[in-house]
Amino acid sequence: MDRDTRNALIAAAWIMLLFGLAAYWLPTVMLAVGSVSTVLAVIVAAIFLLALFVVFWLRGRSQRKKGL
C-alpha cells in the first residue's frame, strides 16, 4: 500500500465514521423534526442521503484532478 492509497483509505474511513455516527442519530432527529412536520422529517432524511453521495462524488472529482 503506497502513500496515496493509504490516505484515500483513511479519508474514506473518516467519512464513513462521521456518516455512521450521523446515521445513528438520524432516527432521533427525524422523530424530533417529525413532531413539527412530517414533510420536514422526510427532507432531513433526504438531505442526509444526498450528502453522503455528494461527499464521495466530490472526493472522487478531487482525486481525478490529481490524476490518482
Side-chain angles (χ1 to χ4, degrees), residues 2-57:
D2 63 345
R3 182 174 175 256
D4 293 330
T5 56
R6 188 186 71 225
N7 288 343
L9 177 67
I10 291 170
W14 272 108
I15 292 168
M16 292 304 292
L17 177 69
L18 292 175
F19 273 98
L21 288 173
Y24 177 78
W25 292 105
L26 185 63
T28 306
V29 172
M30 285 183 63
L31 287 172
V33 174
S35 66
V36 175
S37 169
T38 54
V39 173
L40 285 176
V42 170
I43 291 171
V44 167
I47 288 172
F48 172 77
L49 290 174
L50 185 63
L52 179 65
F53 288 106
V54 166
V55 166
F56 279 114
W57 175 70

